[in-house]
Amino acid sequence: MNDSFFSTDRLTVGYNGRPLVRDISFSLKKGEILTLIGPNGSGKSTILKSITRHLPTLSGSVWLDGKNVRRMGSRDLASRLAVVLTDRIRPELMTCRELVSAGRYPYTGSFGVLTDHDREVVAASLARVRASDIADRDFSAISDGQRQRVLLARAIAQEPELIVLDEPTSFLDIRHKIELLEILGSMAREQGITVILSLHEIDLAYKIADKIACVKDGRIRAYGTPEEIFTGGLIDELYDIDRGSFHPLLGTVELSRPEGKPRVFVVGGGGYGIPFYHALQKRKIPFSAGILFDNDLEYAVAAALAQDPVCAHAFSPIEEAQIARARAAIDQAQAVIDSGCPIRQYNRANGDLLTYAKKQGKPIFPKPEPKKEETP
Amino acid sequence: METVSKNTLRHSVVFLSLLLLFGAAVVWNINTGSVAISVREILTLLFRKKEIESGALAADLPAFNIIWKIRLPRLLLAAVLGGALSLSGFLLQTFFRNPIAGPFVLGISSGSKMFLAVVTIALSASLPSVPVSVTVAAAFLGSMASMLFVLAFTGKIRDMSMLLVVGIMISYICSAVTDFLINFAKESEIVNLTHWSLGSFSAASWQDVRISALIVLPAFLCTFFLSKPISAYALGEGYAQSLGVNIRLFRVLLILFSSVLSACVTAFAGPISFVGIAVPHICRVWLKTAKPVLMIPACFFCGAVFCMICDLIARTVFSPTELSVGTVTSAIGAPIVIWLMAARGAKRNE
């Protein structure tokens, strides 16, 4: 608790006196990034708004650098805490530079006249988010991605110690999402700015955050490092994913598994089978697959989409029992797919499976075509 | 950096031309009318007042009286109230985040008219004529009342454009009540009310000028000192608050000053439409910025010039018949607003 720069102590937040999320206790060191994840309407924004004093807290307290945020003067708080909100703002006739200059509000005099130092900070903030080229364009005439960057520049110009961002990556395409998070990451690392943000992209949350808090059902369902959070089925449970699945380590999402008796068997491996799995999933054809080593990237996909894929231990030869299971699956299937994975010493068994299938008179797709040997 | 100096140049040009226009409007207003007075004579009459009064300087006495008793108070009243109207419009547009917000739209003027109708009809039974002070007080109370009524809904309605609709509805309710009362009023009472309800600067006295200046000028200064929070408010309440603006206090002040300004205008000159919408728009387009620190003085002076010119048109174009100034401001202001909106829409679609 002592080395924490930002913390909340048994905070309860909500609207109109009705609690929405209870017992929130976070603790962050300077320069750490906390990401809130959770389903829509779980209260992520409410937590953020309560931290930034946009909403009154119901009980508990918020601490910033040893001071209770509730008791801080508004100017003091404004020079330490900056926000990027979800509000869609449409200021009239305001250039990006003027908008970023608004971040200097806590530092300027009664008429908000900028000093040379203020101008430098504004220019540096614009450069920080790589928006110097659009500085003199009208804010309402730029794209969503640029707008979000300019709003971040405004927050940076406030020279805060803590930045709170509410879903800053919504409406952004993937390139701009990455860019924005990269900027936040380097600000935290290099300038020691503490960052709290909510994200919908759990895969990105994993990659940017030092701490993750999962908000669900009126409480913090889990709080810890990404490694602690992204284990087991916590994410599936958090978002009630019962159709489809999320792979915590890869950060990929798979749609729901086609259910029923497998009609197709895919002889895969090394990632060659993945496009076939997706093609079968889209057509809702139940299938099985094998024999895959359990360290294979492809196995993660097969485990999510195939019925009972046959799997072998990595770094050890395929066992007889696994071959027998695969043959049984081929017997059940109406067709076999040869993914085209090159057959080498350790996956010879898969070559044998194809020969077996041919002997059993199973149609094999696609028709064999010499494949270039390359690892995906 | 080049754009910065270009903008500074633009702003200086705008303010300089406003100053020149102001001067021109003053001179033009004084020397135009049923009695023509030359510019040279005007200057003598204006700046050597003491000597003329003491009889040290021989001068055309009727002209002297026309200038000092009629034209000068009238043009000053037009200037002060015109500035107040457009400033009030600017503040209301800031508050409601809507370019068509203005004292006339929001039912402030209709509230005044309703109160005035009630007072006129109630008092005419016991008094031969309603004293000016009572008229002014009634109009003032009326506009404050309808503004407070609109504000009572701010807690319930978060959406500012819906609040604007509430204001418009209140304006209709007040008009309905006024029309109802007029049905049962005597003709002599209606004349007074109808004349007032068209808006006019005629019959302006020095006392009117003094009182309205005492209200308007301090309010103008106060709003000027609010220009920093107003600029933050342009980013929305959330951002303004996080920058350290006390939103609750700020909103109260904003609405207080805009109500006081427009109430003062309605009280002294009646409802004058479109100045509050048109002038801030003209200023924005001219300055090419919405920075309040520039907009507030620009709106005030531009409003003053606009109203002086409109008043001049009102009393000279069909002379000796005098138009009401509200007719002229609507006729000029409404097309300007339409044109500006269209221009803006075209720019946005580019």
Side-chain angles (χ1 to χ4, degrees), chain A residues 5-207:
Chain A
F5 176 71
F6 171 85
S7 64
T8 62
D9 184 24
R10 299 178 59 81
L11 183 68
T12 296
V13 303
Y15 284 98
N16 303 325
R18 242 176 300 149
L20 184 62
V21 186
R22 290 167 204 272
D23 251 346
I24 307 158
S25 293
F26 299 143
S27 170
L28 294 175
K29 294 195 192 77
K30 221 172 163 41
E32 277 192 321
I33 299 180
L34 165 68
T35 302
L36 303 186
I37 59 173
N40 285 331
S42 58
K44 300 187 293 292
S45 293
T46 315
I47 296 176
L48 295 180
K49 281 184 189 149
S50 304
I51 288 173
T52 57
R53 280 212 318 212
H54 283 100
L55 278 178
T57 54
L58 301 187
S59 69
S61 48
V62 183
W63 298 84
L64 179 64
D65 200 13
K67 287 189 198 169
N68 187 333
V69 166
R70 290 289 133 189
R71 304 222 177 88
M72 283 168 83
S74 52
R75 198 171 183 143
D76 186 20
L77 185 66
S79 63
R80 290 162 168 270
L81 167 73
V83 294
V84 174
L85 306 169
T86 45
D87 310 9
R88 303 274 274 174
I89 59 167
R90 290 204 87 165
E92 257 191 313
L93 294 170
M94 197 182 259
T95 64
C96 296
R97 191 190 301 280
E98 284 169 350
L99 189 128
V100 173
S101 306
R104 300 304 296 165
Y105 191 94
Y107 305 99
T108 53
S110 346
F111 287 100
V113 179
L114 300 179
T115 62
D116 285 343
H117 172 68
D118 291 323
R119 276 183 229 284
E120 277 163 31
V121 174
V122 168
S125 309
L126 279 161
R128 191 82 188 73
V129 300
R130 283 188 279 129
S132 306
D133 52 330
I134 53 166
D136 294 309
R137 286 183 53 194
D138 195 295
F139 181 73
S140 53
I142 59 176
S143 74
D144 280 341
Q146 293 170 326
R147 218 170 276 179
Q148 206 63 355
R149 289 210 317 260
V150 171
L151 285 172
L152 179 60
R154 191 211 62 82
I156 295 172
Q158 221 172 318
E159 296 187 312
E161 294 161 317
L162 172 68
I163 293 190
V164 175
L165 307 96
D166 196 359
E167 289 176 13
T169 56
S170 315
F171 309 113
L172 299 191
D173 63 28
I174 184 70
R175 187 193 124 204
H176 288 114
K177 279 184 210 244
I178 294 172
E179 259 181 25
L180 194 82
L181 294 180
E182 293 269 4
I183 295 168
L184 288 178
S186 62
M187 269 166 40
R189 265 194 324 274
E190 291 157 19
Q191 280 140 276
I193 297 175
T194 310
V195 178
I196 302 177
L197 74 161
S198 59
L199 278 183
H200 269 306
E201 300 84 356
I202 33 190
D203 49 328
L204 295 177
Y206 184 17
K207 279 144 206 167

Side-chain angles (χ1 to χ4, degrees), chain B residues 217-292:
Chain B
L217 294 180
F220 166 62
L221 277 181
C222 291
T223 25
F224 191 59
F225 275 94
L226 276 182
S227 51
K228 189 183 170 188
I230 290 175
S231 71
Y233 194 76
L235 303 185
E237 267 178 41
Y239 283 110
Q241 195 188 333
S242 85
L243 286 167
V245 178
N246 181 342
I247 288 293
R248 201 166 290 204
L249 177 69
F250 173 73
R251 284 178 65 162
V252 167
L253 289 179
L254 204 60
I255 216 69
L256 182 77
F257 289 133
S258 55
S259 308
V260 165
L261 285 171
S262 55
C264 179
V265 178
T266 0
F268 282 103
I272 296 172
S273 51
F274 279 105
V275 179
I277 305 177
V279 173
H281 270 296
I282 295 171
C283 292
R284 257 177 232 127
V285 171
W286 240 6
L287 291 168
K288 280 205 177 148
T289 180
K291 269 191 204 156

Side-chain angles (χ1 to χ4, degrees), chain B residues 3-16:
Chain B
T3 48
V4 172
S5 60
K6 217 169 94 186
N7 283 341
T8 320
L9 182 69
R10 167 178 277 275
H11 302 153
S12 324
V13 168
V14 168
F15 278 101
L16 204 68

